[in-house]
Amino acid sequence: MRRGKVAIMKTAFGAIAAAAVLATAWAQNRAQQDFSKVEIHVLPLRDNMYMLTGAGGNITVQTGKDGVLLVDTEYAQLSDKILAELRKLSKEPLRYIINTHYHADHTSGNENLRKAGNTIAGGNVAGDLGAEASEGAAIIAHNNVLERMSMTQGSQPAAPQGGWPTSTYLSGKKKLWVNGEGVEVIHPEHAHTDGDSIVFFRRNDVISTGDIFTMTSYPIIDLNGGGSYQGLLDAVNQILDLTDTVYGQDGGTLIVPGHGRLCDTGDLLNYREMVTIIRDRMVDMIKKDMTLEQVKAAKPTADYDPLYGTSTGFWTTDAFVEAAYKSLSQTVKQKK
Amino acid sequence: MDQVNPHKAGITLLLLAILGSVPAAAQIELSGVWSNQLHEDFPDRLAGPELGDYTGIPLNNAARLRAEAWDASLITLPEYQCRVHPSDYAPSFADIRIWEEYDKDTQALLAIHIHHFAWGTERTIWMDGRPHPPDYAGHTSMGFSTGKWDGDILTVTTDHLKEGWIRRNGVPRSDRAVVTEHFIRHENGLTWVTVINDPPYLTEPMIRSRDYVWSVAGQIAPYPCESVEEIVRPKDAIPHHLPGTNTFLKEYQKNHGVLEQGAMGGAETLYPEFRQKVIAAGDLGGKAPGPLQ
């Protein structure tokens, strides 16, 4: 479904929880950062693909004769630095931005970067918008990203309209053909949020996971944003179904996580192991009618805390356990 | 054209010949097939470690908890069946081939390669002074290694390792570990010392050595691995023990008469003082302390 600004204004917003703790947390995180000191690093992935790292979520870049495709856009304050790096990688225009979800550390650069690009318009792409349709790069996301970005989230105002998705999809998958390869944008339901997209570059065998998979913290389950623990685990398994290895758990598909270093199947398997084992422990405790405080005291994450845990920042180990407890309690209740 | 003094030219050629045969940085030849000697830590290696045996490992409580949750059935999962031994564990098994790679023109040593029979893995030790990759680069089971000569000892530093294991009974080694190795050749013998620094799971470096003998007619067989579906499970089923439910953990202690404090490992248990402490506390249950190993 392609939407222009006029159509966006007519969107009937669904019933979305007013509080958005994570949206607020990311905004606070952004406010505390000194972006002048942030460097954007470029890591080559394949011939025409790169991973960019900075202060927010990782960016995946695909280049080619059709133009530049980005997965996520980091913080707006870093847009100039990101554009400078993109210009080193390709002289072609920025055509597509795909958002893996709505959080500001992945989307707040949308507006700036979109303005730096343009869309090949005409046919049904232009629709009623005419010449306006070619202004800026297309921003592709699941429809729930548009809904969440265009409304107030807790104490946070809606994202600037210029950064909203311009092309959304509603069902399980959207397919593109860009720079000589099929790009699948796959929606797992209720994982990190309710608007996640996994982006699979088929020829390059590269997958951008968004925050379904992060290397820097326990899984971030945005309950107010429609996420769920079991949904996130299902999404991880969905990603694993797309991957191949060369031998054992090494090589093959490259995986760009939402945060942290470049990964492959073996890394994702380790992550899945952690997510699954902690789920099983917590479900066992919930079935024994343990309260949240009792679960916290039992330290179900203790063995993984050196890798994923933290007591500072917005996504502490406690915050993860609380979200997991709340989400898995619902899962247990539904299965009864 | 200037006249060439035959006497001076002869000396120069002689010097060149001598210098040409002398290693630039005291390097010694490690190439060849090396046969793995299994006498050290044998039960840990070919037979395989027993569950609940963490002796000799300076592990922390988090590592111990992970090991207690580990279920050997994990390796029935197809995606785990061909999981290779990481480069810091692979020396425990089977034979290896080492070969060197030189720049054709300068004859500078660029890299030393090692092929492990076990899982057919290969690693490269870069000798050309290149830097290690940045933090955001990917990790592999072999890691990224650079080497330098300390006299006749090759010292190798490896990082960018994938998560692995200290012992294959569930004791984890994180992907943040930095491993230092020393390759020490004694004529036809090779001692390979591995020092694992892993702050997430070890409170002190884990040090172990493995010995090899040069094999004059050594061959390395291929090691293909194909996963099969051994047990049909739901996608999100991972074999593991819930806390407090692993009934196998005490077997090692019972079968070998090892005290629980010792079996559970930890840095303290590595030192002679621990033995004295156990004796003083009367924790031996009337048994005489065994000989120090």
Side-chain angles (χ1 to χ4, degrees), chain A residues 41 43 51 230 237 241 247-250 261-262 264 269-270 272-273 276 279-281 303-304 306-307, chain B residues 62 66 69 79-80 82-83 119 136 138-139 141 162-163 175-176 200-201 223 225 235-236 238 240:
Chain A
H41 299 288
L43 184 69
M51 180 174 104
Q230 185 59 45
N237 280 304
D241 281 344
Y247 189 97
Q249 297 184 351
D250 278 339
R261 66 172 173 83
L262 178 66
D264 66 7
L269 284 168
N270 291 330
R272 178 185 68 165
E273 203 177 304
T276 307
R279 177 204 59 178
D280 291 352
R281 289 174 184 168
D303 45 352
Y304 289 100
L307 305 182
Chain B
R66 268 194 82 174
E79 55 270 38
Y80 285 75
C82 296
R83 191 184 192 188
W119 305 105
Y136 46 88
H139 289 208
S141 297
K162 267 197 185 135
E163 186 172 297
D175 65 347
R176 298 172 203 172
Y201 285 128
Y223 199 110
C225 182
K235 270 185 191 171
D236 62 348
I238 302 284
H240 66 96

